[in-house]
Amino acid sequence: MTLTTKSVARVALVSTLVAAAAGAAVLVASPASGAASTLAAAAQQSGRYFGTAVAANKLSDSTYVGILNREFDMVTAENEMKMDATEPNQGQFSYGNADRIVNQARSQGKRVRGHALAWHSQQPGWMQRMEGSALRQAMLNHVTQVASYYRGKIYAWDVVNEAFADGSSGGRRDSNLQRTGNDWIEAAFRAARAADPGAKLCYNDYNTDNWSHAKTQGVYRMVQDFKSRGVPIDCVGFQAHFNSGNPVPSNYHTTLQNFANLGVDVQITELDIEGSGSSQAEQFKGVTQACLAVARCTGITVWGIRDSDSWRASGTPLLFDRNGNKKAAYNAVLDALNAGGTTTVPTTPTDPTTDPQNPESCTATYSEGEKWSDRFNGQVTVSGTDNWVVTVTVGSPQRIIATWNTSPTWETANVMTARPNGNGNTFGFTIQHGGNWNWPSISCRVA
Ligand code: 9MR
């Protein structure tokens, strides 16, 4: 911890007051040790997340929501943030179902992956009929509007989804967006960065798992080119939809590591593996271990909760059966997460130095502070701007009971908005954890 003298004094004061208030607070150190019992808690041991796709129309299903709240700390809207859902008529934006998912997630202290700002598929009818510069403008406006609406609430956006062709070409997929010019992808990334400087910006695709495949190589060359030219890209999403015709490749770890070596995070974004029993479990274990072995693999998202929630339910490709029971694949993933939790990855997004278009980006880095039996301290250091707004979201039943070096406002009881109060760019807080030792989620934007 690098606290100023002044803030050390404040921490001490806060701690004393809290200790007095709590009666018999004992100064002991470390968080819970031993094997974690949920996917999210197990992933957090190495600074990673474990997420799922969520469908708004299932949020009234208590079994579904029970598993969601218990097991996952990252949420992707399965369909509700896509272009047809958010802009059904040109210039008319519709966020009802997406908001239901975002609000449910954030009220439970979960983070959100945004999916997807620009895609050849699931375009609204009016966009499907467009071409050329009118389409380019409409696409950029869509990216700007949607990313601005959710500014500060999204951990990572799939800015562009599935833009590369299958097969041996290694080139782009033909689409109305591609026909607006090869630079449409970088234009979308620049628009997204301007709209939400605190979100990580990802390129997301499928069939990019095998390092020797032409499509994987094509995406790799694009990311390499973007990094060399300062196009703002932070991450690559690997959808990871596997089945017997498209099994987990033996070089999967190599693929993830090679992309990470370009200076981007990698994320497994839509994992499902058709099959059952121990063979399915082994494959889930392999994918989990591959992510854990790559420092910049920041998390795994499965594409649904129960087999019956899956887009390909007959392949029973998920971690819970149709009744919500844990499958062998669940235990394999949990064990792998518990065994591999040693690598710590940075919690925070966006390298502002890579974005010449946006010199005032914002990076917020969380670090752990002192821990007691009933509470722990955390601090956030902001870089890139002196003009920041940081959102700190704690999970239930946590409560922020003290702060220093910021004067907070509250969106809800567990969502705090922090701004500079003249004490520099590091602020801190005390979280009464109520048994939940998870780190808060942090996002940052330029005011
Ligand atoms: O799971 C989604 C399903 O409900 C939709 O009908 C389908 C429509 O395209 O999209 C599915 O999600 C896809 C994701 O958005 C992108 N990668 C492939 C996913 C599975 O098709």
Side-chain angles (χ1 to χ4, degrees):
M1 295 224 291
T2 51
L3 291 176
T4 61
T5 316
K6 193 170 164 190
S7 47
V8 168
R10 286 179 187 216
V11 175
L13 178 63
V14 166
S15 307
T16 310
L17 291 176
V18 170
V26 187
L27 290 181
V28 290
S30 58
S33 58
S37 61
T38 67
L39 298 169
Q44 283 164 15
Q45 295 172 116
S46 65
R48 293 178 174 82
Y49 63 82
F50 207 96
T52 181
V54 167
N57 63 10
K58 295 195 172 128
L59 289 176
S60 52
D61 175 333
S62 59
T63 305
Y64 182 88
V65 174
I67 301 172
L68 168 62
N69 288 350
R70 187 185 75 219
E71 296 287 344
F72 300 99
D73 61 354
M74 184 72 76
V75 159
T76 306
E78 186 172 359
N79 289 296
E80 293 79 352
M81 283 193 192
K82 293 174 180 174
M83 299 175 103
D84 57 352
T86 49
E87 196 178 358
N89 301 300
Q90 188 169 14
Q92 286 179 7
F93 291 84
S94 158
Y95 297 110
N97 284 328
D99 279 349
R100 243 159 254 146
I101 292 172
V102 171
N103 293 340
Q104 197 279 342
R106 285 165 58 82
S107 74
Q108 295 290 319
K110 303 180 199 309
R111 293 183 289 174
V112 178
R113 290 192 84 262
H115 173 79
L117 291 171
W119 189 17
H120 69 277
S121 181
Q122 279 184 278
Q123 293 181 359
W126 61 267
M127 188 179 275
Q128 292 175 30
R129 294 185 286 272
M130 288 178 104
E131 296 280 349
S133 59
L135 172 62
R136 172 67 71 93
Q137 259 328 106
M139 179 275 287
L140 292 176
N141 183 54
H142 180 88
V143 170
T144 299
Q145 295 294 327
V146 177
S148 299
Y149 179 83
Y150 284 113
R151 182 161 77 167
K153 295 185 174 174
I154 302 292
Y155 162 72
W157 267 111
D158 292 333
V159 179
V160 170
N161 195 36
E162 301 178 1
F164 276 73
D166 293 313
S168 59
S169 79
R172 300 283 181 86
R173 169 198 298 279
D174 178 53
S175 73
N176 60 349
L177 290 168
Q178 181 61 29
R179 291 190 295 272
T180 70
N182 207 50
D183 63 343
W184 76 275
I185 298 182
E186 62 194 83
F189 273 83
R190 291 187 201 283
R193 176 68 99 230
D196 187 354
K200 289 183 189 245
L201 304 182
C202 302
Y203 176 78
N204 190 52
D205 214 330
Y206 66 91
N207 282 356
T208 49
D209 311 292
N210 191 318
W211 178 241
S212 64
H213 283 180
K215 186 171 176 182
T216 311
Q217 293 294 313
V219 175
Y220 179 85
R221 281 191 299 272
M222 178 187 74
V223 176
Q224 191 173 42
D225 170 52
F226 280 9
K227 293 300 284 183
S228 74
R229 290 190 295 113
V231 176
I233 185 168
D234 308 305
C235 39
V236 176
F238 295 82
Q239 293 185 8
H241 295 294
F242 296 113
N243 55 34
S244 54
N246 177 35
V248 182
S250 57
N251 60 20
Y252 197 44
H253 167 251
T254 303
T255 304
L256 298 179
Q257 187 64 63
N258 285 345
F259 273 87
N261 290 347
L262 291 175
V264 288
D265 289 349
V266 294
Q267 301 167 4
I268 295 170
T269 53
E270 304 181 14
L271 177 62
D272 50 20
I273 307 176
E274 290 189 73
S276 61
S278 58
S279 104
Q280 181 183 48
E282 276 302 303
Q283 293 182 73
F284 267 104
K285 178 178 163 189
V287 171
T288 307
Q289 288 175 332
C291 177
L292 288 167
V294 176
R296 291 198 73 151
C297 183
T298 58
I300 299 174
T301 294
V302 288
W303 205 238
I305 296 179
R306 300 162 300 196
D307 285 334
S308 48
D309 301 317
S310 169
W311 66 299
R312 44 187 210 190
S314 62
T316 61
L318 295 174
L319 301 179
F320 295 87
D321 71 17
R322 59 181 311 112
N323 297 315
N325 299 313
K326 296 169 182 173
K327 294 167 55 180
Y330 171 95
N331 292 320
V333 170
L334 185 69
D335 290 350
L337 291 170
N338 274 323
T342 50
T343 316
T344 301
V345 294
T347 51
T348 20
T350 313
D351 175 6
T353 57
T354 60
D355 185 11
Q357 300 298 310
N358 181 29
E360 269 224 324
S361 304
C362 189
T363 301
T365 307
Y366 177 77
S367 50
E368 289 184 311
E370 260 185 286
K371 302 179 182 75
W372 297 270
S373 57
D374 62 332
R375 66 197 191 282
F376 58 88
N377 285 345
Q379 76 171 12
V380 172
T381 300
V382 185
S383 61
T385 177
D386 293 331
N387 210 10
W388 41 267
V389 181
V390 173
T391 304
V392 180
T393 305
V394 299
S396 177
Q398 294 174 338
R399 284 284 175 269
I400 298 176
I401 55 171
T403 64
W404 54 96
N405 292 349
T406 184
S407 309
T409 55
W410 300 90
E411 265 184 63
T412 67
N414 50 1
V415 181
M416 176 179 89
T417 303
R419 292 185 168 79
N421 72 349
N423 284 309
N425 291 334
T426 296
F427 68 96
F429 40 81
T430 302
I431 295 175
Q432 187 175 59
H433 56 69
N436 176 358
W437 286 94
N438 294 346
W439 289 5
S441 52
I442 311 287
S443 67
C444 185
R445 66 182 168 85
V446 181

